């Protein structure tokens, strides 16, 4: 007679800072209610990976894991990986739609993950996929942003999502490339 082992239920935490302080086993799932604060739109579920951060960073052209699909753990090689990587949400990268903070670095990381997802680098099956970036309601201050093909961009509509040129940026250079290479 075999022994039934029930599936591990997700652990729920308030935000990413609490996520990295919550112990779990390799492969365990932790769900966040938000990124910075509960209900801020940045919630997601993450698998805990006890090892592999260095190799993952190297495969991403040394792009930091902090925010979005990946969150650094407290150890030297552990990390958390989002269970859902179909939509890149600015709030899951730590964006705050309040005009105060320069979000250029966050938008740059979102574009890099969009390219990886479209090339199959995130899911690893190397098939072409259309990646989606969603910018929730708010005002986002950036200096520049290049949205690469084949990424799709969406916001929360007229008077919902605003992208604003950062101070001293002159004009905000927002470009959309048409090349998939």
């Amino acid at each position: 007679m075999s022994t039934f082992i029930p599936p591990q239920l997700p652990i729920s935490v308030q935000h990413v800072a609490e996520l990295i302080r919550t112990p779990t086993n390799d492969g365990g799932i932790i769900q966040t209610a938000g990124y910075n604060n509960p209900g801020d739109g940045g919630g997601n579920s993450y698998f805990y990976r006890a090892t592999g951060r260095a190799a993952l960073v190297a495969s991403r052209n040394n792009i930091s894991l902090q925010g979005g699909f990946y969150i650094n753990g407290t150890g030297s090689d552990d990390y958390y990986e989002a269970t859902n990587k179909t939509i890149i949400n600015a709030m899951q990268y730590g964006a705050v739609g309040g005009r105060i903070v320069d979000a250029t670095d966050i938008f740059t990381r979102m574009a890099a993950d969009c390219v990886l997802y479209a090339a199959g680098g995130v899911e690893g099956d190397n098939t072409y996929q259309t990646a989606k970036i969603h910018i929730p309601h708010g005002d986002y201050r950036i200096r520049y942003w290049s949205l690469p093909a084949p990424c799709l961009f969406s916001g929360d509509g007229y008077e919902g999502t605003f992208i604003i040129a950062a101070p001293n940026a002159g004009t905000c250079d927002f470009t959309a490339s048409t090349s998939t290479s």
Side-chain angles (χ1 to χ4, degrees), residues 48-60 62-66 70-80:
Y48 175 68
R49 307 292 187 203
T51 61
R53 183 184 347 160
L56 184 59
V57 169
S59 73
R60 294 167 41 86
N62 293 315
I63 297 171
S64 169
L65 297 188
Q66 197 60 25
Y70 304 99
I71 306 293
N72 291 330
T74 57
S76 62
D77 200 36
D78 64 331
Y79 65 99
Y80 299 85

Side-chain angles (χ1 to χ4, degrees), residues 13-24 30 72-74 80:
V13 298
Q14 298 297 309
H15 44 71
V16 169
E18 189 177 347
L19 165 83
I20 62 174
R21 294 190 311 260
T22 303
T24 190
I30 301 178
N72 291 330
T74 57
Y80 299 85

Side-chain angles (χ1 to χ4, degrees), residues 28-94:
I29 299 173
I30 301 178
Q31 183 170 355
T32 61
Y35 188 86
N36 293 306
N37 298 297
D40 66 6
N44 205 345
S45 293
Y46 296 89
F47 290 114
Y48 175 68
R49 307 292 187 203
T51 61
R53 183 184 347 160
L56 184 59
V57 169
S59 73
R60 294 167 41 86
N61 298 320
N62 293 315
I63 297 171
S64 169
L65 297 188
Q66 197 60 25
F69 295 152
Y70 304 99
I71 306 293
N72 291 330
T74 57
S76 62
D77 200 36
D78 64 331
Y79 65 99
Y80 299 85
E81 178 180 0
T83 60
N84 178 356
K85 296 190 232 59
T86 57
I87 296 179
I88 297 168
N89 184 319
M91 296 306 201
Q92 293 171 343
Y93 285 72

